Structures are given as structure tokens and as C-alpha cells.
Amino acid sequence: MGLIQSGDKRSVVFDNLKFVLIILVIYCHLINLGFAVPWNVYKIIYSFHMPLFVMISGYFTNKNKSNVKYWDSTLNLAFLFIAFNLVTIYIYIYLCDSPPVEAPYIPSFALWYLLCMIFWRTIVRIIPDKVLKSKIFIVSSLVISVIPAIYDINYLAISRCVSFFPYFLIGWIVRDTSVLAKLDKTNKWKKAIVIFCAIISCLVATKIPLNIFWGHLPLDNSISIVFICKIISWCIAVIISSAIYLLIPRKFEFKDGKSTLGYYLFHTLLLFPVLDVIYPYLPKGYVATLVILSMMVILLHYTVRINFINKFLNFKPLTSLNHLSKFLNFSRG
């Protein structure tokens, strides 16, 4: 998965980053059900956790892979989207007598990320490197990403595709630079400055409208205010992400950092509709939220280790079709 090899120091950093981020994703999603999460903490987390996740996804997108490998991993995302979206819809119909979305191709809850990944990976694959890395393209992607904060285009995850694409592009560009190497060599004083700037950014994030961080709903303000808020949000995301990269543990590894896709997909089934149904009978305080979060993480930890589930999550459509074609040809022969 990219240039990073298993066991490499930087691989440990990214695994730890992804694990911390997926825990934050689940924690913030609990508020969607009504569980108690401190509002300012919620806004601060939203200011950086998805941008950083998207940047990591861009960093590990290697467009130099063969067509089969690249499109196999991309089609795998489409397969997982369809599978989990249908399961969510049918569970909702069974438990609540009504589907969560109008049609199977519309993402339910958190599954928008899979559709965005398909879009981003396709864009990066078909557009030449020279264009992707040009200042005109980068600036254009930033300007276009403001549109969802002005007009309502929240359909099939289009708004989030557009809004978060610059972060994906940043991650993809960074993989061919020495930016991370320079961050790794940051001395204590510079590290302290970055962390101080991140603390200030967290305070500023509490003053930014949440719609700016969500990326899929328009803001009821003038266009100039929207642009200013977006520019500030980009700075906040980059500064806090840099600080977290510097602070993330290097001496040990969260093994489940390699299983964040499974965490992401299966936590949607735990939150909606399972927890949604039993929500009225559960405690709602801050401590209760952390207890429920811990229980979900433990359950997900063991779920993603089931052999069948691992094979399901790593299903390769093109490779499977190729094997099936060879088998049928062999049978006919």
C-alpha cells in the first residue's frame, strides 16, 4: 500500500495515526445519536480528523501501480459500499420499518467516504502528474472546494468529494516530497512552536461554524465570510495535523491501525441502527459515552480479526473475475 513497507518506522507512525483517528471518528459519531460529547471538543476534533484521514488516504494512493492492482482496490471500495449500504438499509427496514435513505445508491450515514475515495482515486489516476501538481490545479481545487459551503449540492457525497479533495491532493503530493522527513527531524524548539500554534488553532476552531468542518452543508453567510472561514479551516487542519504527526507515539504500534477500514465500516452497523434502537435505554452522560466507546472498540477489535471478514474486506473484483474466467476456460477444456 504505497511506498511504506511493513515494519518501517514511518509505517508505525501512520498505523498509530489511523488508529487514533478512527477512535475519534467513532467518538464524534456518538453525538449523532444523542450521546453527550463536549461541544467544543467535538468541533476541535472535526476541524482536523477527517482532513488528516483524507491526507493519509492521498499519501497512500500510488498511481504507479498496474491497472489491475489500482482498479482492483478502487472497485473493492465500490463493492464494500454497495454491500454495507444494502445491509444497513435492510437492518433499518427490519428494526425500524423504514430505510435510512431513499435509494440503495445513496450513502447512508458514514459510507460517503467510500464514494469519495472512488472519485478521488479516479481523478488522480486519469489526470497527468504535471497537471495535478501545478499551482493552477491546486488553487482551482481549493476554490472549487468552497462551493458546498455556498450552495447545497449534498447529493451522492458530491459536496464532500469536492470539499475534502484538496486534502487528498495534498497527501498525494506530499508522498513525493521531503516534507515528512523534515517534520521527523524537527528540533524541540520548532516542535514546541508547532504545538503552540496547534493549541491556538484549537481555540480558533471553536469559533468557526461547524458546517465549514462538515463540508456538506452550506453556510448562511456572505460569500466573503465563507471564503475567510474556509481559509482559516485549511490552516487549522494543516497546523493541528502537523502537531499530531509530531506527537504520535513511535516506540509502540497500535496493530489495529491496519484495520481502520473494518472499524469504519462495522461501526456504522453498530451505531445505526443497533445503538439507535437501544439508545432510549442507555445512560447519556460524558462518562457513559466513553464507556460505550470503549465497548465498541473492543467489539470492533475482535470483529475485524475474523478470517471471513478479513477476506470479505479485501475482496478483489477484477482478480476474482480473472480467476473465474480461467477456471471456466479450464473446465471447458
Side-chain angles (χ1 to χ4, degrees):
M1 192 177 183
L3 301 174
I4 312 284
Q5 299 299 317
S6 178
D8 182 59
K9 180 180 178 181
R10 192 174 293 169
S11 178
V12 172
V13 173
F14 279 108
D15 284 341
N16 290 347
L17 268 174
K18 290 191 294 180
F19 183 72
V20 170
L21 290 173
I22 196 63
I23 299 302
L24 293 178
V25 167
I26 300 171
Y27 179 62
C28 283
H29 281 167
L30 285 170
I31 200 174
N32 292 359
L33 283 176
F35 289 100
V37 175
W39 187 244
N40 282 340
V41 172
Y42 179 81
K43 290 185 73 174
I44 290 170
I45 293 173
Y46 256 96
S47 72
F48 73 87
H49 80 315
M50 286 315 299
L52 183 51
F53 235 135
V54 174
M55 281 189 274
I56 293 173
S57 296
Y59 185 87
F60 282 102
T61 298
N62 183 5
K63 68 179 292 183
N64 295 321
K65 285 183 177 180
S66 66
N67 280 331
V68 172
K69 287 184 177 180
Y70 194 89
W71 293 115
D72 229 356
S73 57
T74 304
L75 288 174
N76 170 253
L77 298 173
F79 165 76
L80 292 174
F81 168 76
I82 294 170
F84 276 84
N85 212 37
L86 286 175
V87 169
T88 302
I89 289 172
Y90 282 111
I91 291 177
Y92 250 105
I93 292 174
Y94 178 75
L95 293 178
C96 309
D97 297 324
S98 61
V101 291
E102 297 175 0
Y105 55 83
I106 297 176
S108 58
F109 188 41
L111 296 179
W112 61 266
Y113 193 76
L114 298 184
L115 286 184
C116 289
M117 279 293 293
I118 295 168
F119 170 79
W120 298 329
R121 287 175 62 86
T122 302
I123 290 294
V124 168
R125 183 71 175 191
I126 63 177
I127 297 179
D129 289 10
K130 187 176 181 180
V131 176
L132 289 170
K133 295 179 180 179
S134 66
K135 292 180 181 178
I136 294 177
F137 187 85
I138 295 171
V139 172
S140 297
S141 70
L142 288 170
V143 173
I144 293 173
S145 73
V146 181
I147 293 176
I150 301 173
Y151 302 105
D152 188 359
I153 53 173
N154 187 27
Y155 183 74
L156 287 179
I158 292 174
S159 55
R160 281 175 166 134
C161 283
V162 172
S163 183
F164 287 111
F165 177 68
Y167 296 116
F168 187 87
L169 187 61
I170 288 171
W172 180 79
I173 292 173
V174 163
R175 69 175 284 121
D176 293 327
T177 69
S178 59
V179 171
L180 293 185
K182 290 179 180 178
L183 271 177
D184 288 332
K185 296 177 181 179
T186 302
N187 60 43
K188 291 182 179 179
W189 287 108
K190 289 182 179 179
K191 184 182 292 187
I193 293 172
V194 173
I195 294 171
F196 176 76
C197 291
I199 294 172
I200 299 299
S201 296
C202 288
L203 296 175
V204 175
T206 62
K207 307 300 181 183
I208 301 295
L210 194 54
N211 284 13
I212 292 293
F213 299 136
W214 277 339
H216 69 292
L217 295 175
L219 190 65
D220 189 19
N221 287 94
S222 64
I223 294 178
S224 59
I225 295 297
V226 171
F227 264 95
I228 291 171
C229 287
K230 285 294 289 186
I231 292 171
I232 294 173
S233 72
W234 297 331
C235 296
I236 289 172
V238 172
I239 292 171
I240 297 179
S241 296
S242 300
I244 291 174
Y245 179 84
L246 291 173
L247 293 172
I248 207 73
R250 266 100 165 146
K251 294 182 179 180
F252 62 89
E253 181 181 8
F254 293 116
K255 299 293 184 181
D256 280 10
K258 297 181 176 67
S259 306
T260 51
L261 177 60
Y263 269 66
Y264 193 81
L265 291 170
F266 282 101
H267 98 276
T268 63
L269 299 183
L270 286 176
L271 281 173
F272 297 98
V274 178
L275 273 180
D276 196 10
V277 172
I278 63 175
Y279 169 78
Y281 312 101
L282 297 173
K284 311 298 188 300
Y286 294 144
V287 175
T289 303
L290 294 175
V291 171
I292 291 170
L293 173 66
S294 300
M295 294 174 65
M296 288 183 64
V297 170
I298 292 170
L299 184 57
L300 290 167
H301 169 79
Y302 288 104
T303 300
V304 296
R305 274 161 173 69
I306 299 173
N307 189 44
F308 167 75
I309 288 177
N310 265 307
K311 290 182 178 179
F312 181 80
L313 294 176
N314 291 292
F315 175 70
K316 305 299 182 187
L318 292 179
T319 302
S320 299
L321 285 174
N322 187 40
H323 290 331
L324 179 61
S325 177
K326 289 181 179 179
F327 174 76
L328 292 174
N329 291 333
F330 176 79
S331 299
R332 290 171 183 171

